[in-house]
Coordinates of all heavy atoms in Angstrom, one line a residue:
M1 N -0.7 0.1 -15.2 CA -1.2 0.1 -13.8 C 0.0 -0.5 -13.0 O 0.4 -1.5 -13.2 CB -2.4 -0.8 -13.8 CG -3.4 -0.4 -12.8 SD -5.0 -1.2 -13.0 CE -4.9 -2.5 -11.9
G2 N 0.3 0.3 -11.9 CA 1.4 -0.1 -11.1 C 1.0 -0.8 -9.9 O -0.1 -1.2 -9.7
F3 N 2.0 -1.1 -9.1 CA 1.8 -1.8 -7.8 C 0.9 -1.0 -6.8 O 0.2 -1.6 -6.1 CB 3.2 -2.2 -7.2 CG 3.1 -3.2 -6.1 CD1 2.5 -4.4 -6.3 CD2 3.5 -2.8 -4.9 CE1 2.4 -5.4 -5.2 CE2 3.3 -3.7 -3.8 CZ 2.9 -4.9 -4.0
S4 N 1.0 0.3 -6.9 CA 0.2 1.1 -5.9 C -1.2 0.9 -6.3 O -2.1 0.9 -5.3 CB 0.6 2.6 -6.1 OG 1.9 2.8 -5.6
W5 N -1.6 0.9 -7.6 CA -3.0 0.6 -8.0 C -3.5 -0.7 -7.5 O -4.6 -0.8 -6.9 CB -3.1 0.7 -9.5 CG -3.3 2.1 -10.0 CD1 -2.3 2.8 -10.6 CD2 -4.5 2.9 -9.9 NE1 -2.8 4.1 -10.9 CE2 -4.1 4.2 -10.5 CE3 -5.7 2.7 -9.4 CZ2 -5.0 5.2 -10.6 CZ3 -6.6 3.7 -9.5 CH2 -6.3 5.0 -10.1
F6 N -2.6 -1.8 -7.6 CA -3.0 -3.0 -7.2 C -3.2 -3.0 -5.6 O -4.2 -3.6 -5.2 CB -1.8 -4.1 -7.5 CG -2.0 -5.4 -6.7 CD1 -2.9 -6.4 -7.3 CD2 -1.2 -5.7 -5.7 CE1 -3.1 -7.5 -6.6 CE2 -1.3 -7.0 -5.1 CZ -2.3 -7.9 -5.6
L7 N -2.3 -2.4 -4.9 CA -2.5 -2.3 -3.4 C -3.8 -1.6 -3.0 O -4.6 -2.0 -2.2 CB -1.3 -1.6 -2.7 CG 0.0 -2.4 -2.6 CD1 1.1 -1.5 -2.1 CD2 -0.2 -3.6 -1.8
L8 N -4.1 -0.4 -3.7 CA -5.3 0.3 -3.5 C -6.6 -0.5 -3.8 O -7.5 -0.6 -3.0 CB -5.3 1.6 -4.3 CG -6.5 2.5 -4.1 CD1 -6.5 3.1 -2.7 CD2 -6.5 3.6 -5.1
I9 N -6.6 -1.2 -5.0 CA -7.8 -1.9 -5.3 C -8.0 -3.1 -4.3 O -9.1 -3.3 -4.0 CB -7.8 -2.4 -6.8 CG1 -7.8 -1.2 -7.7 CG2 -8.7 -3.4 -7.1 CD1 -7.5 -1.4 -9.1
T10 N -7.0 -3.8 -4.0 CA -7.0 -4.9 -3.1 C -7.5 -4.5 -1.7 O -8.4 -5.1 -1.0 CB -5.7 -5.7 -3.0 OG1 -5.2 -6.0 -4.3 CG2 -5.8 -6.9 -2.1
C11 N -6.9 -3.3 -1.2 CA -7.4 -2.7 0.1 C -8.8 -2.4 0.1 O -9.6 -2.6 1.0 CB -6.6 -1.5 0.4 SG -4.9 -1.9 1.1
L12 N -9.3 -1.8 -1.0 CA -10.7 -1.4 -1.2 C -11.6 -2.7 -1.2 O -12.7 -2.7 -0.5 CB -10.9 -0.5 -2.3 CG -10.4 0.9 -2.3 CD1 -10.6 1.5 -3.6 CD2 -11.0 1.6 -1.2
A13 N -11.2 -3.6 -2.0 CA -12.1 -4.9 -2.1 C -12.1 -5.6 -0.7 O -13.2 -5.9 -0.2 CB -11.5 -5.8 -3.1
C14 N -11.0 -5.8 -0.1 CA -10.9 -6.5 1.2 C -11.6 -5.8 2.3 O -12.3 -6.3 3.2 CB -9.5 -6.9 1.6 SG -8.8 -8.1 0.5
G15 N -11.3 -4.4 2.3 CA -12.0 -3.6 3.3 C -13.6 -3.6 3.2 O -14.3 -3.6 4.1
T16 N -14.0 -3.6 1.9 CA -15.5 -3.6 1.7 C -16.0 -5.0 2.2 O -17.1 -4.9 2.8 CB -15.8 -3.5 0.2 OG1 -15.2 -2.2 -0.2 CG2 -17.2 -3.5 -0.1
I17 N -15.4 -6.0 1.9 CA -15.9 -7.3 2.4 C -15.9 -7.4 4.0 O -17.0 -7.8 4.5 CB -15.1 -8.5 1.8 CG1 -15.2 -8.6 0.4 CG2 -15.3 -9.8 2.5 CD1 -14.2 -9.6 -0.4
W18 N -14.9 -7.0 4.6 CA -14.8 -6.9 6.0 C -15.8 -6.0 6.7 O -16.5 -6.4 7.6 CB -13.4 -6.7 6.4 CG -13.1 -6.7 7.9 CD1 -13.6 -7.5 8.8 CD2 -12.4 -5.7 8.7 NE1 -13.3 -7.2 10.1 CE2 -12.4 -6.1 10.0 CE3 -11.7 -4.6 8.3 CZ2 -11.9 -5.3 11.0 CZ3 -11.1 -3.8 9.3 CH2 -11.2 -4.2 10.7
L19 N -15.8 -4.8 6.2 CA -16.7 -3.8 6.8 C -18.2 -4.1 6.5 O -19.1 -3.9 7.3 CB -16.4 -2.4 6.3 CG -15.1 -1.9 6.9 CD1 -14.7 -0.5 6.3 CD2 -15.1 -1.8 8.4
G20 N -18.5 -4.6 5.3 CA -19.8 -5.1 5.0 C -20.3 -6.2 5.9 O -21.5 -6.2 6.4
W21 N -19.4 -7.1 6.2 CA -19.8 -8.2 7.2 C -20.0 -7.6 8.6 O -21.0 -7.9 9.2 CB -18.7 -9.2 7.3 CG -18.9 -10.3 8.3 CD1 -18.4 -10.3 9.5 CD2 -19.7 -11.5 8.1 NE1 -18.8 -11.5 10.2 CE2 -19.6 -12.2 9.4 CE3 -20.5 -11.9 7.1 CZ2 -20.3 -13.4 9.5 CZ3 -21.2 -13.2 7.3 CH2 -21.1 -13.9 8.5
K22 N -19.1 -6.7 9.0 CA -19.3 -6.0 10.4 C -20.6 -5.2 10.4 O -21.3 -5.2 11.3 CB -18.2 -5.2 10.7 CG -16.9 -5.9 10.8 CD -16.2 -6.2 12.0 CE -16.3 -5.3 13.1 NZ -16.0 -5.9 14.4
W23 N -20.9 -4.5 9.4 CA -22.1 -3.7 9.3 C -23.4 -4.5 9.2 O -24.4 -4.2 9.8 CB -22.1 -2.8 8.0 CG -23.3 -1.9 8.0 CD1 -23.6 -0.8 8.8 CD2 -24.4 -2.1 7.1 NE1 -24.7 -0.2 8.4 CE2 -25.3 -0.9 7.4 CE3 -24.7 -3.0 6.2 CZ2 -26.5 -0.9 6.7 CZ3 -26.0 -2.9 5.5 CH2 -26.8 -1.8 5.7
Q24 N -23.3 -5.7 8.5 CA -24.5 -6.6 8.4 C -24.8 -7.2 9.8 O -26.1 -7.3 10.1 CB -24.2 -7.6 7.4 CG -25.4 -8.6 7.2 CD -25.0 -9.7 6.2 OE1 -23.9 -9.9 5.8 NE2 -26.0 -10.4 5.8
L25 N -23.8 -7.5 10.5 CA -24.1 -8.2 11.9 C -24.5 -7.1 12.9 O -25.1 -7.5 13.9 CB -23.0 -9.1 12.3 CG -22.7 -10.2 11.4 CD1 -21.5 -11.0 11.9 CD2 -23.9 -11.2 11.4
R26 N -23.9 -6.0 12.8 CA -24.1 -4.9 13.9 C -23.9 -5.3 15.3 O -24.8 -5.2 16.2 CB -25.6 -4.3 13.7 CG -25.8 -3.6 12.3 CD -27.0 -2.9 12.3 NE -27.4 -2.4 11.0 CZ -28.2 -2.9 10.2 NH1 -28.9 -4.0 10.5 NH2 -28.4 -2.5 9.0
G27 N -22.8 -5.8 15.6 CA -22.4 -6.1 16.9 C -22.7 -7.5 17.4 O -22.4 -7.9 18.5
E28 N -23.3 -8.4 16.7 CA -23.4 -9.8 17.0 C -22.0 -10.5 17.1 O -21.2 -10.3 16.2 CB -24.4 -10.5 16.1 CG -25.7 -10.0 16.0 CD -26.6 -10.7 15.0 OE1 -26.3 -11.8 14.6 OE2 -27.6 -10.1 14.6
N29 N -21.8 -11.3 18.1 CA -20.5 -12.0 18.2 C -20.7 -13.4 17.5 O -20.8 -14.4 18.2 CB -20.2 -12.1 19.6 CG -19.6 -10.8 20.2 OD1 -19.2 -10.0 19.4 ND2 -19.8 -10.7 21.6
L30 N -20.4 -13.4 16.3 CA -20.4 -14.8 15.6 C -19.0 -14.9 15.0 O -18.3 -14.0 14.9 CB -21.4 -14.7 14.4 CG -22.9 -14.5 14.7 CD1 -23.7 -14.5 13.4 CD2 -23.4 -15.8 15.5
A31 N -18.7 -16.1 14.8 CA -17.4 -16.6 14.2 C -17.3 -16.0 12.8 O -18.3 -16.1 12.1 CB -17.1 -18.0 14.3
L32 N -16.2 -15.5 12.4 CA -16.0 -14.9 11.1 C -15.8 -16.1 10.1 O -15.1 -17.0 10.4 CB -14.8 -14.0 11.0 CG -14.8 -12.7 11.8 CD1 -13.5 -12.0 11.7 CD2 -15.9 -11.8 11.2
P33 N -16.5 -16.0 9.0 CA -16.2 -17.1 7.9 C -14.8 -16.8 7.4 O -14.1 -15.8 7.6 CB -17.2 -16.7 6.8 CG -18.2 -15.9 7.4 CD -17.6 -15.2 8.6
L34 N -14.2 -17.8 6.7 CA -12.9 -17.8 6.3 C -12.6 -16.7 5.4 O -11.6 -16.0 5.4 CB -12.6 -19.2 5.6 CG -11.1 -19.3 5.1 CD1 -10.1 -19.2 6.3 CD2 -11.0 -20.6 4.3
M35 N -13.5 -16.4 4.4 CA -13.3 -15.3 3.5 C -13.3 -14.0 4.1 O -12.4 -13.1 3.8 CB -14.4 -15.4 2.4 CG -14.2 -14.4 1.3 SD -15.5 -14.6 0.1 CE -15.7 -12.9 -0.5
V36 N -14.1 -13.7 5.1 CA -14.0 -12.5 5.9 C -12.8 -12.4 6.7 O -12.2 -11.3 6.7 CB -15.3 -12.4 6.7 CG1 -15.3 -11.1 7.6 CG2 -16.6 -12.4 5.9
D37 N -12.3 -13.4 7.3 CA -11.2 -13.5 8.1 C -9.9 -13.1 7.3 O -9.1 -12.4 7.6 CB -11.0 -14.7 8.9 CG -10.0 -14.6 9.9 OD1 -9.8 -13.6 10.5 OD2 -9.3 -15.7 10.2
L38 N -9.9 -13.8 6.1 CA -8.8 -13.5 5.2 C -8.8 -12.1 4.6 O -7.8 -11.5 4.5 CB -8.8 -14.5 4.0 CG -8.4 -15.9 4.3 CD1 -8.5 -16.8 3.1 CD2 -6.9 -15.9 4.7
S39 N -10.0 -11.6 4.4 CA -10.1 -10.2 3.9 C -9.7 -9.3 5.0 O -9.0 -8.3 4.7 CB -11.6 -9.9 3.5 OG -12.0 -10.7 2.4
R40 N -10.0 -9.5 6.2 CA -9.5 -8.6 7.3 C -8.0 -8.6 7.4 O -7.3 -7.6 7.6 CB -10.1 -9.1 8.6 CG -9.7 -8.2 9.8 CD -10.3 -8.6 11.1 NE -9.8 -10.0 11.4 CZ -10.0 -10.6 12.5 NH1 -10.8 -10.2 13.4 NH2 -9.4 -11.8 12.7
T41 N -7.4 -9.8 7.3 CA -6.0 -9.9 7.4 C -5.3 -9.2 6.2 O -4.4 -8.5 6.3 CB -5.6 -11.4 7.4 OG1 -6.2 -12.0 8.5 CG2 -4.1 -11.6 7.6
I42 N -5.8 -9.6 5.0 CA -5.2 -9.0 3.7 C -5.3 -7.4 3.8 O -4.4 -6.7 3.4 CB -5.8 -9.7 2.6 CG1 -5.3 -11.0 2.4 CG2 -5.4 -8.8 1.3 CD1 -6.1 -11.8 1.3
F43 N -6.5 -6.9 4.2 CA -6.7 -5.5 4.3 C -5.7 -4.8 5.2 O -5.1 -3.8 4.8 CB -8.1 -5.3 4.8 CG -8.4 -3.8 5.1 CD1 -8.5 -2.9 4.0 CD2 -8.5 -3.3 6.4 CE1 -8.8 -1.6 4.3 CE2 -8.7 -2.0 6.6 CZ -8.9 -1.1 5.6
S44 N -5.5 -5.3 6.4 CA -4.5 -4.7 7.3 C -3.1 -4.8 6.7 O -2.4 -3.7 6.9 CB -4.6 -5.3 8.6 OG -4.3 -6.7 8.6
V45 N -2.7 -5.9 6.1 CA -1.3 -6.0 5.7 C -1.1 -5.1 4.4 O -0.1 -4.3 4.3 CB -1.0 -7.5 5.3 CG1 0.3 -7.5 4.6 CG2 -0.9 -8.3 6.5
F46 N -2.1 -5.1 3.5 CA -1.9 -4.3 2.3 C -2.1 -2.8 2.6 O -1.5 -1.9 1.9 CB -2.9 -4.7 1.2 CG -2.4 -5.9 0.5 CD1 -1.5 -6.8 1.0 CD2 -2.9 -6.2 -0.7 CE1 -1.0 -7.8 0.3 CE2 -2.5 -7.3 -1.5 CZ -1.5 -8.1 -0.9
L47 N -2.9 -2.4 3.6 CA -3.0 -1.1 3.9 C -1.7 -0.5 4.6 O -1.2 0.6 4.3 CB -4.1 -0.8 5.0 CG -4.4 0.6 5.4 CD1 -4.9 1.4 4.2 CD2 -5.4 0.6 6.5
F48 N -1.0 -1.3 5.4 CA 0.3 -1.0 5.9 C 1.3 -0.8 4.8 O 2.1 0.1 4.8 CB 0.7 -2.1 6.9 CG 2.1 -1.8 7.4 CD1 2.4 -0.9 8.3 CD2 3.2 -2.6 6.9 CE1 3.7 -0.7 8.7 CE2 4.5 -2.4 7.3 CZ 4.8 -1.4 8.1
L49 N 1.3 -1.8 3.8 CA 2.2 -1.6 2.7 C 1.9 -0.4 1.8 O 2.9 0.2 1.4 CB 2.1 -2.9 1.8 CG 2.8 -4.1 2.2 CD1 2.5 -5.3 1.3 CD2 4.3 -3.9 2.3
L50 N 0.7 -0.1 1.6 CA 0.3 1.1 0.9 C 0.8 2.3 1.5 O 1.4 3.2 0.8 CB -1.2 1.1 0.6 CG -1.7 2.2 -0.2 CD1 -1.2 2.1 -1.7 CD2 -3.2 2.3 -0.3
V51 N 0.5 2.5 2.8 CA 1.0 3.7 3.6 C 2.5 3.7 3.5 O 3.2 4.8 3.3 CB 0.4 3.7 4.9 CG1 1.1 4.7 5.8 CG2 -1.0 3.9 4.8
A52 N 3.3 2.6 3.8 CA 4.7 2.6 3.9 C 5.3 2.9 2.5 O 6.2 3.7 2.5 CB 5.2 1.2 4.4
R53 N 4.8 2.3 1.4 CA 5.3 2.6 0.2 C 5.0 4.0 -0.4 O 5.8 4.6 -1.2 CB 4.8 1.6 -0.9 CG 5.5 0.3 -0.9 CD 5.0 -0.6 -2.0 NE 5.1 0.0 -3.3 CZ 5.9 -0.2 -4.2 NH1 6.8 -1.3 -3.9 NH2 5.8 0.3 -5.3
S54 N 4.0 4.6 0.1 CA 3.5 5.8 -0.4 C 4.2 7.1 0.3 O 4.4 8.0 -0.3 CB 2.0 6.0 -0.2 OG 1.3 5.1 -1.1
F55 N 4.5 6.9 1.7 CA 5.0 8.0 2.5 C 6.4 7.8 3.0 O 7.0 8.8 3.4 CB 3.9 8.3 3.5 CG 2.6 8.6 3.1 CD1 1.5 7.9 3.4 CD2 2.4 9.7 2.2 CE1 0.2 8.2 2.9 CE2 1.1 10.0 1.7 CZ 0.0 9.3 2.1
V56 N 6.8 6.6 3.2 CA 8.1 6.3 3.9 C 9.1 5.8 3.0 O 10.2 6.6 2.8 CB 7.8 5.3 5.1 CG1 9.1 5.1 5.9 CG2 6.6 5.8 6.0
L57 N 9.1 4.6 2.5 CA 10.2 4.0 1.7 C 9.5 3.3 0.5 O 8.5 2.9 0.5 CB 10.9 2.9 2.6 CG 11.6 3.4 3.8 CD1 12.0 2.2 4.6 CD2 12.8 4.3 3.5
E58 N 10.3 3.4 -0.6 CA 9.8 2.6 -1.8 C 11.2 1.9 -2.5 O 12.1 2.6 -2.6 CB 9.2 3.5 -2.8 CG 8.6 2.8 -3.9 CD 7.6 3.6 -4.8 OE1 7.3 4.7 -4.3 OE2 7.2 3.1 -5.7
P59 N 11.1 0.7 -2.8 CA 12.2 0.1 -3.5 C 12.2 0.5 -5.0 O 11.1 0.7 -5.6 CB 11.9 -1.4 -3.4 CG 10.5 -1.5 -3.2 CD 10.0 -0.2 -2.5
Y60 N 13.3 0.7 -5.6 CA 13.5 1.0 -6.9 C 14.6 0.1 -7.5 O 15.5 -0.3 -6.9 CB 13.8 2.5 -7.2 CG 12.7 3.4 -7.1 CD1 12.6 4.2 -6.0 CD2 11.8 3.6 -8.1 CE1 11.6 5.1 -5.8 CE2 10.8 4.5 -8.1 CZ 10.7 5.2 -6.9 OH 9.6 6.1 -6.7
R61 N 14.5 -0.2 -8.9 CA 15.5 -0.9 -9.5 C 16.2 0.1 -10.5 O 15.6 0.8 -11.2 CB 14.8 -2.0 -10.3 CG 15.8 -2.9 -11.0 CD 15.1 -4.0 -11.8 NE 16.0 -4.4 -12.9 CZ 16.1 -4.0 -14.1 NH1 15.5 -2.9 -14.4 NH2 17.0 -4.5 -15.0
V62 N 17.5 0.1 -10.4 CA 18.3 1.0 -11.3 C 18.2 0.5 -12.7 O 18.6 -0.6 -13.0 CB 19.8 1.0 -10.8 CG1 20.7 1.9 -11.7 CG2 19.9 1.5 -9.3
P63 N 17.7 1.2 -13.7 CA 17.4 0.8 -15.0 C 18.6 0.9 -15.9 O 18.7 0.1 -16.9 CB 16.3 1.7 -15.5 CG 16.5 3.0 -14.8 CD 17.1 2.5 -13.4
S64 N 19.6 1.7 -15.7 CA 20.7 1.9 -16.6 C 22.0 2.0 -15.8 O 22.0 2.0 -14.6 CB 20.4 3.1 -17.5 OG 20.6 4.3 -16.7
E65 N 23.1 2.2 -16.6 CA 24.4 2.3 -16.0 C 24.9 3.7 -15.8 O 26.0 4.0 -15.8 CB 25.4 1.5 -16.9 CG 25.2 0.0 -16.9 CD 26.0 -0.7 -17.9 OE1 26.9 0.0 -18.5 OE2 25.9 -1.9 -17.9
S66 N 23.9 4.6 -15.7 CA 24.2 6.0 -15.6 C 24.9 6.4 -14.2 O 25.5 7.5 -14.1 CB 22.9 6.9 -15.7 OG 22.1 6.6 -14.7
M67 N 24.8 5.6 -13.2 CA 25.4 5.9 -11.9 C 26.6 4.9 -11.5 O 27.0 4.8 -10.5 CB 24.4 5.7 -10.8 CG 23.2 6.6 -10.9 SD 22.0 6.4 -9.7 CE 21.9 8.2 -9.1
M68 N 27.2 4.4 -12.6 CA 28.4 3.6 -12.4 C 29.6 4.4 -11.9 O 29.6 5.6 -12.3 CB 28.9 2.9 -13.7 CG 28.0 1.7 -13.9 SD 28.6 0.7 -15.3 CE 30.1 0.2 -14.7
P69 N 30.5 4.0 -11.1 CA 30.6 2.7 -10.6 C 29.9 2.4 -9.3 O 30.0 1.3 -8.7 CB 32.2 2.7 -10.4 CG 32.5 4.1 -10.0 CD 31.6 4.9 -10.8
T70 N 29.3 3.3 -8.7 CA 28.6 3.2 -7.5 C 27.3 2.3 -7.6 O 27.3 1.3 -6.8 CB 28.1 4.5 -7.0 OG1 29.1 5.5 -7.1 CG2 27.6 4.5 -5.6
L71 N 26.5 2.5 -8.6 CA 25.4 1.6 -8.7 C 25.4 1.0 -10.1 O 25.6 1.7 -11.1 CB 24.0 2.5 -8.5 CG 23.8 3.0 -7.2 CD1 22.6 3.9 -7.3 CD2 23.6 2.0 -6.2
L72 N 25.2 -0.3 -10.2 CA 25.2 -1.0 -11.4 C 23.7 -1.2 -11.9 O 22.8 -1.1 -11.2 CB 25.9 -2.4 -11.2 CG 27.3 -2.3 -10.7 CD1 27.8 -3.8 -10.5 CD2 28.2 -1.6 -11.7
S73 N 23.6 -1.4 -13.2 CA 22.3 -1.7 -13.8 C 21.7 -2.9 -13.2 O 22.4 -4.0 -13.1 CB 22.5 -1.9 -15.3 OG 21.3 -2.2 -15.9
G74 N 20.5 -2.8 -12.8 CA 19.8 -3.9 -12.1 C 19.8 -4.0 -10.6 O 19.2 -4.8 -10.0
D75 N 20.7 -3.1 -10.0 CA 20.7 -3.0 -8.5 C 19.4 -2.5 -8.1 O 18.7 -1.8 -8.7 CB 21.8 -2.0 -8.2 CG 23.2 -2.6 -8.3 OD1 23.3 -3.9 -8.5 OD2 24.2 -1.9 -8.0
Y76 N 19.0 -2.9 -6.8 CA 17.9 -2.4 -6.1 C 18.3 -1.4 -5.0 O 19.3 -1.7 -4.3 CB 17.1 -3.6 -5.5 CG 16.3 -4.4 -6.5 CD1 16.9 -5.4 -7.1 CD2 15.1 -4.0 -6.9 CE1 16.2 -6.2 -8.0 CE2 14.4 -4.7 -7.9 CZ 14.9 -5.9 -8.4 OH 14.2 -6.5 -9.4
I77 N 17.6 -0.3 -4.9 CA 17.8 0.7 -3.9 C 16.5 1.0 -3.2 O 15.4 0.7 -3.7 CB 18.5 2.0 -4.5 CG1 17.6 2.6 -5.5 CG2 19.8 1.7 -5.0 CD1 18.1 3.9 -6.1
V78 N 16.5 1.5 -2.0 CA 15.5 1.9 -1.2 C 15.5 3.4 -1.1 O 16.5 4.0 -0.6 CB 15.3 1.2 0.1 CG1 14.2 1.8 0.9 CG2 15.2 -0.3 0.0
V79 N 14.5 4.1 -1.5 CA 14.3 5.6 -1.4 C 13.5 6.0 -0.3 O 12.5 5.5 0.0 CB 13.8 6.1 -2.8 CG1 13.7 7.6 -2.8 CG2 14.6 5.7 -3.9
Q80 N 14.0 7.1 0.5 CA 13.2 7.7 1.5 C 12.2 8.7 0.9 O 12.6 9.7 0.4 CB 14.1 8.4 2.5 CG 15.0 7.5 3.3 CD 16.0 8.2 4.1 OE1 16.0 9.5 4.2 NE2 16.8 7.6 4.9
K81 N 11.0 8.3 0.8 CA 10.0 9.2 0.1 C 9.6 10.5 0.9 O 9.3 11.4 0.2 CB 8.7 8.4 0.0 CG 8.8 7.1 -0.8 CD 8.6 7.3 -2.3 CE 7.3 7.8 -2.6 NZ 6.7 7.2 -3.8
Y82 N 9.8 10.5 2.2 CA 9.3 11.7 2.9 C 10.3 12.8 2.7 O 10.0 13.9 3.0 CB 9.3 11.4 4.4 CG 10.4 10.8 5.1 CD1 11.4 11.6 5.6 CD2 10.6 9.4 5.2 CE1 12.5 11.1 6.2 CE2 11.6 8.9 5.8 CZ 12.6 9.7 6.3 OH 13.8 9.2 6.9
C83 N 11.5 12.6 2.1 CA 12.5 13.6 1.8 C 12.0 14.5 0.6 O 12.5 15.6 0.5 CB 13.9 13.0 1.4 SG 14.6 12.3 2.9
Y84 N 11.1 13.9 -0.2 CA 10.6 14.6 -1.3 C 9.2 15.2 -1.2 O 8.6 15.7 -2.2 CB 10.6 13.6 -2.6 CG 11.9 13.1 -2.9 CD1 12.3 11.8 -2.5 CD2 12.9 13.8 -3.5 CE1 13.5 11.2 -2.7 CE2 14.1 13.4 -3.8 CZ 14.5 12.1 -3.4 OH 15.8 11.6 -3.7
G85 N 8.7 15.3 0.0 CA 7.4 15.8 0.3 C 6.4 14.7 0.4 O 6.5 13.7 -0.1
L86 N 5.3 15.1 1.1 CA 4.2 14.1 1.3 C 3.3 14.2 0.1 O 2.7 15.3 -0.2 CB 3.5 14.5 2.6 CG 2.3 13.6 3.1 CD1 3.0 12.2 3.4 CD2 1.6 14.2 4.3
R87 N 3.2 13.1 -0.6 CA 2.3 13.1 -1.8 C 1.3 12.0 -1.6 O 1.4 10.9 -1.0 CB 3.2 12.7 -3.0 CG 4.2 13.8 -3.3 CD 5.0 13.4 -4.6 NE 5.9 14.5 -5.0 CZ 5.6 15.4 -5.8 NH1 4.3 15.5 -6.3 NH2 6.5 16.4 -6.1
L88 N 0.1 12.2 -2.3 CA -0.9 11.1 -2.4 C -0.5 10.0 -3.2 O 0.2 10.3 -4.3 CB -2.1 11.8 -2.9 CG -2.9 12.8 -2.0 CD1 -4.1 13.3 -2.8 CD2 -3.3 12.1 -0.7
P89 N -0.7 8.8 -2.9 CA -0.1 7.7 -3.6 C -0.5 7.5 -5.1 O 0.4 7.3 -5.9 CB -0.6 6.5 -2.8 CG -1.5 6.9 -1.8 CD -1.5 8.4 -1.8
I90 N -1.7 7.6 -5.4 CA -2.2 7.4 -6.8 C -2.1 8.6 -7.6 O -1.7 8.6 -8.7 CB -3.6 6.7 -6.8 CG1 -3.5 5.5 -6.1 CG2 -4.1 6.5 -8.3 CD1 -2.6 4.3 -6.6
L91 N -2.7 9.8 -7.0 CA -2.7 11.0 -7.8 C -1.4 11.7 -7.9 O -1.3 12.6 -8.7 CB -3.7 11.9 -7.0 CG -5.1 11.3 -6.9 CD1 -6.0 12.3 -6.0 CD2 -5.8 11.1 -8.1
N92 N -0.5 11.4 -7.1 CA 0.9 12.0 -7.1 C 0.8 13.5 -6.9 O 1.7 14.2 -7.5 CB 1.6 11.6 -8.3 CG 3.2 11.8 -8.2 OD1 3.6 11.7 -7.1 ND2 3.9 11.9 -9.3
T93 N -0.1 14.0 -6.2 CA -0.2 15.5 -5.8 C 0.4 15.7 -4.5 O 0.2 14.9 -3.6 CB -1.6 16.0 -5.8 OG1 -2.3 15.2 -4.9 CG2 -2.2 15.9 -7.2
Q94 N 1.3 16.7 -4.4 CA 2.0 17.0 -3.2 C 1.1 17.7 -2.1 O 0.5 18.7 -2.5 CB 3.3 17.9 -3.5 CG 4.1 18.0 -2.3 CD 5.4 18.7 -2.7 OE1 5.5 19.4 -3.6 NE2 6.5 18.5 -1.8
L95 N 1.1 17.1 -0.9 CA 0.3 17.7 0.1 C 1.1 18.7 0.9 O 0.6 19.9 1.2 CB -0.3 16.7 1.0 CG -1.2 15.6 0.4 CD1 -1.6 14.5 1.4 CD2 -2.4 16.3 -0.1
F96 N 2.2 18.3 1.4 CA 3.1 19.1 2.2 C 4.6 19.1 1.8 O 5.1 17.9 1.6 CB 3.0 18.7 3.7 CG 1.7 18.7 4.3 CD1 1.0 17.6 4.6 CD2 1.1 20.0 4.5 CE1 -0.2 17.6 5.2 CE2 -0.2 20.0 5.1 CZ -0.8 18.8 5.4
P97 N 5.2 20.1 1.4 CA 6.6 20.0 1.1 C 7.5 19.8 2.4 O 7.1 20.3 3.5 CB 6.9 21.4 0.4 CG 5.9 22.3 0.9 CD 4.7 21.5 1.2
T98 N 8.5 19.0 2.2 CA 9.4 18.9 3.3 C 10.8 19.3 2.9 O 11.2 19.5 1.8 CB 9.5 17.4 3.8 OG1 9.9 16.6 2.6 CG2 8.2 17.0 4.3

């Protein structure tokens, strides 16, 4: 299970808590409990990370010395994901080629 799965599960859990609270109150203006407020914040941050890592940029670690002398083993690089086509994050199916 990779980091994308962690982001997806966390987004779903926090979004469910936050939207469940909003649906339960149906427009009443009450102060949010700490857990609901944290869920709202975590949901927005992790959703942004999930979208950014899935469609825009993703960090990778170079696993071997196959690209020496330019890249060394253990170096970190950032890859532009949109150059390889628009893909769904978990299913890895291509939606639109670019």
